[in-house]
Amino acid sequence: MRTSHYLPFLAAPLLAEASSILFNGGTIVAFNRNKNALEVIRDGSLLINDDRIVSVSAGAPSASLLRKDTEVVDAKGKIITPGFIDTHKHGWQTSFKTLASNTSLLEYFSRYGEFAAAGLLTAEDVYIGQLAGIYEALHGGVTTILDHAHHAWSNQTAEAGLLASVDSGARIFWAYAFHNIPSTPPYLVPEQLAHFRALAGNTTLLRSSPTSLGVAYDAWDPAASTATERQAVVALATSLNVSVVTTHTVLGPWGLTNTPSALLAAGILNTSIPVVLSHGSFLSPTDAQLLRTVNQYVSVTPESEFHYGHSNPTSHRFLDQAALGVDTHFTYSGDILSQARLWLQTARLRLYEAVLERWELPVNNPMSATQAFLLATRNGGLALRREDLGVIAVGAKADVVVWDGDAPALLGWNDPVAAVILHASVGDVESVVVDGKWRKRDFKIVVGDGKGKGGYEAVKKRFVESARRVQKKLIETKSPVPVKGDVWPYSGYLVGEAETVDVLRGEGTGYGTTFLKA
Ligand SMILES: *[C@@H]1O[C@H](CO)[C@@H](O)[C@H](O)[C@H]1NC(C)=O
Ligand SMILES: *[C@@H]1O[C@H](CO)[C@@H](O)[C@H](O)[C@H]1NC(C)=O
Ligand SMILES: *[C@@H]1O[C@H](CO)[C@@H](O)[C@H](O)[C@H]1NC(C)=O
Ligand SMILES: *[C@@H]1O[C@H](CO)[C@@H](O)[C@H](O)[C@H]1NC(C)=O
Ligand SMILES: *[C@@H]1O[C@H](CO)[C@@H](O)[C@H](O)[C@H]1NC(C)=O
Ligand SMILES: [Zn+2]
């Protein structure tokens, strides 16, 4: 493997040193495996030894579990939940932040997507963007991310995103995107597969981090790739038993395919490897049923699907096979709490409207805060086939979030699940532990082992320099976008225009502007 021409931020390996943390006196949103349901424990204790939760109880933990090095943390007045799980993200895009506040999916493909951005970002840009993006997520209480890593435009940019994931200390399912990049020289799938094997064979790369290697591939349909290429991707995934396989599925008039049946035909939907279909927009009843049969999940990314317009018209019909994701955090919220809240109220609206359309009055509420909480936590774990993620239970991985129960928005809370899902904001996340290690503490991100020089300030400086460079290039590259009347080649449907609203009185007062400078 080639040495990269940029410096990873943390030269020192993540510390593998043992740690033990006891949270005392908090309200814990635990998971009862026997009842298959959340269980709230008030005035409880939560003990972490190394990377695992070893005790969750109403009183003190058994003394035999305590260690000499156990750090006791007063959690009185706090709410402790599992970390949130983001099942779809592209961490490298952080440097595009605010550039696309009013974009659409068609414009995205031409300006910001994996093919449009090839050549725009160096390995350094990918590394520091990925790191800053993960810190944003950690700050907001996300502890696990399935990263559809389509920053693989060269061996160097691919490796940079992986190294940043490892350095972040978060639990990243880093899914290398195999795609044919028409650069000079072209960067093609066979070379990427060889590179993936080299990364997987590098025993020092992942160190003791919770990051693992997965596969992302968006060409499962016979029309989108050769059988040889698809078979090579499947052979790689199965022979290396990767931690996850993921793909973008956007059906309906978008015609971006990767249907569950195409994945089944390619031989990847029904192995022991978890498969996560992002969006699943316009999934049919048959598609959803197939996912149930093979127990694979969709990552619903509500804010993305509303912002860009892929939409999610049927997604409230298969929430039993769904988890939540953020997708392109450069355009909107990078946290899962926002997604859970947005989706909860969307599902409610849709199901209320069905009653109102009959000119009847809904008497009950169609979706509960508890269900939104499960989508944001445990269902993410199930999507990754990880019973030990997204729950607070003995034996689960120690990925937990401590919420400031005395924050103004939460004050007076009774139901801790409702407090988090409907009242808290990411600013109320006081601490975050991943794999038994502090990743946010007293409202501040912990960089590396927390003892390294520069800390978050150094990351910030390095990221902002990169973002200015990348943004200037992107703004100056005025890539053409499809216009009304064009035919979208993936589906044969026409490109149309959305009606725009007007917040100023009068006709044609205009769309207004966005505020960007090159
Ligand atoms: C990328 O990595 C693969 C696997 O190590 C290697 O075969 C290939 O030559 C590398 N590409 C370049 C341009 O170095
Ligand atoms: C493994 O990856 C690390 C980090 O990129 C690199 O320094 C090292 O040379 C690699 N080892 C091998 C055997 O390729
Ligand atoms: C693949 O790895 C998972 C754990 O990540 C393990 O449970 C499973 O048994 C492995 N499957 C095969 C076929 O080795
Ligand atoms: C999935 O594989 C199992 C055996 O491993 C088989 O019984 C089942 O029919 C398969 N499901 C589908 C939808 O092909
Ligand atoms: C976004 O807004 C700008 C004006 O500020 C406009 O030029 C551009 O066409 C808009 N983009 C879309 C996709 O609507
Ligand atoms: Zn995506």
Side-chain angles (χ1 to χ4, degrees):
M1 192 185 315
R2 285 253 222 101
T3 328
S4 303
H5 56 271
Y6 69 98
L7 283 176
F9 189 74
L10 302 159
L14 294 174
L15 292 188
E17 78 185 15
S19 64
S20 172
I21 307 168
L22 172 65
F23 291 102
N24 247 341
T27 295
I28 303 165
V29 183
F31 189 76
N32 184 320
R33 292 200 191 276
N34 298 327
K35 295 185 180 152
N36 199 28
L38 293 178
E39 179 174 354
V40 169
I41 300 173
R42 293 175 202 260
D43 198 14
S45 70
L46 171 65
L47 178 64
I48 292 168
N49 280 346
D50 304 321
D51 61 332
R52 300 276 168 180
I53 293 170
V54 295
S55 167
V56 192
S57 57
S62 150
S64 65
L65 291 170
L66 295 173
R67 302 194 320 204
K68 268 199 238 93
D69 65 336
T70 300
E71 178 183 6
V72 182
V73 179
D74 182 9
K76 211 165 183 317
K78 316 290 181 207
I79 298 171
I80 304 179
T81 68
F84 289 133
I85 299 183
D86 175 354
T87 51
H88 184 64
K89 173 163 170 139
H90 310 290
W92 64 270
Q93 293 178 325
T94 318
S95 59
F96 295 170
K97 194 160 289 179
T98 73
L99 255 55
S101 63
N102 66 328
T103 196
S104 65
L105 189 56
L106 290 184
E107 187 182 273
Y108 171 88
F109 288 132
S110 324
R111 298 214 165 137
Y112 312 102
E114 63 199 279
F115 297 103
L120 216 62
L121 278 77
T122 62
E124 157 70 10
D125 295 327
V126 170
Y127 176 86
I128 199 67
Q130 179 87 359
L131 189 63
I134 298 172
Y135 282 151
E136 179 194 0
L138 281 170
H139 189 260
V142 175
T143 52
T144 294
I145 298 170
L146 166 46
D147 195 283
H148 184 127
H150 51 24
H151 54 75
W153 306 296
S154 67
N155 289 359
Q156 285 74 26
T157 62
E159 189 182 331
L162 173 59
L163 289 176
S165 304
V166 170
D167 287 347
S168 74
R171 189 179 301 284
I172 311 295
F173 286 73
W174 183 81
Y176 195 134
F178 300 123
H179 50 190
N180 291 304
I181 299 293
S183 48
T184 333
Y187 188 55
L188 304 176
V189 171
E191 186 177 349
Q192 295 156 21
L193 294 171
H195 185 227
F196 188 97
R197 285 188 189 278
L199 293 174
N202 183 331
T203 49
T204 54
L205 201 57
L206 299 180
R207 295 176 270 151
S208 58
S209 100
T211 287
S212 60
L213 295 176
V215 161
Y217 187 62
D218 282 344
W220 292 110
D221 273 65
S225 57
T226 62
T228 313
E229 184 181 290
R230 289 193 299 281
Q231 281 156 15
V233 174
V234 172
L236 174 113
T238 51
S239 67
L240 294 174
N241 190 22
V242 295
S243 61
V244 69
V245 169
T246 191
T247 189
H248 286 106
T249 304
V250 183
L251 309 175
W254 295 102
L256 297 176
T257 63
N258 298 313
T259 55
S261 53
L263 270 75
L264 185 71
I268 197 62
L269 196 71
N270 193 21
T271 75
S272 63
I273 300 172
V275 176
V276 176
L277 282 69
S278 48
H279 312 304
S281 306
F282 296 89
L283 219 60
S284 70
T286 314
D287 292 329
Q289 201 61 10
L290 176 52
L291 291 183
R292 289 187 182 103
T293 309
V294 294
N295 194 26
Q296 303 287 15
Y297 280 68
V298 170
S299 174
V300 178
T301 65
E303 199 166 3
S304 165
E305 291 145 18
F306 296 147
H307 186 110
Y308 290 101
H310 12 0
S311 189
N312 41 35
T314 62
S315 301
H316 57 296
R317 299 287 173 201
F318 50 83
L319 294 180
D320 53 328
Q321 291 300 137
L324 294 173
V326 166
D327 198 14
T328 66
H329 65 296
F330 75 99
T331 35
Y332 45 73
S333 339
D335 66 288
I336 285 295
L337 175 58
S338 301
Q339 305 311 321
R341 188 174 300 161
L342 191 55
W343 181 248
L344 171 64
Q345 304 295 26
T346 301
R348 285 175 170 177
L349 175 66
R350 257 181 218 165
L351 295 168
Y352 274 145
E353 278 177 343
V355 181
L356 291 166
E357 254 166 46
R358 304 196 297 264
W359 288 23
E360 292 174 4
L361 310 174
V363 67
N364 60 322
N365 188 312
M367 183 171 170
S368 68
T370 299
Q371 294 195 324
F373 186 93
L374 285 169
L375 272 185
T377 54
R378 174 159 160 83
N379 277 31
L382 294 178
L384 297 162
R385 296 202 171 160
R386 290 287 300 263
E387 286 283 345
D388 60 344
L389 297 183
V391 292
I392 291 187
V394 170
K397 285 283 188 180
D399 297 356
V400 303
V401 175
V402 180
W403 302 82
D404 175 12
D406 297 330
L410 276 71
L411 214 55
W413 62 270
N414 181 339
D415 176 342
V417 173
V420 168
I421 291 296
L422 290 166
H423 297 273
S425 69
V426 297
D428 303 328
V429 172
E430 186 171 311
S431 300
V432 176
V433 171
V434 183
D435 217 36
K437 299 192 180 70
W438 296 102
R439 292 298 166 212
K440 182 180 184 183
R441 187 147 196 195
D442 298 331
F443 299 99
K444 286 204 178 65
I445 283 293
V446 176
V447 170
D449 61 6
K451 295 170 196 141
K453 286 204 192 97
Y456 183 70
E457 282 304 308
V459 175
K460 191 174 86 179
K461 182 165 179 289
R462 191 168 152 187
F463 169 70
V464 170
E465 275 167 22
S466 160
R468 292 291 165 260
R469 250 190 341 262
V470 170
Q471 292 186 3
K472 188 169 190 310
K473 272 195 248 173
L474 193 67
I475 291 169
E476 284 166 358
T477 312
K478 294 220 170 6
S479 323
V481 293
V483 294
K484 183 178 172 178
D486 285 355
V487 174
W488 179 234
Y490 295 94
S491 63
Y493 281 100
L494 283 180
V495 171
E497 252 172 27
E499 182 191 345
T500 54
V501 294
D502 212 336
V503 304
L504 296 178
R505 282 187 179 213
E507 284 303 305
T509 49
Y511 183 89
T513 187
T514 51
F515 301 97
L516 296 172
K517 64 184 175 67

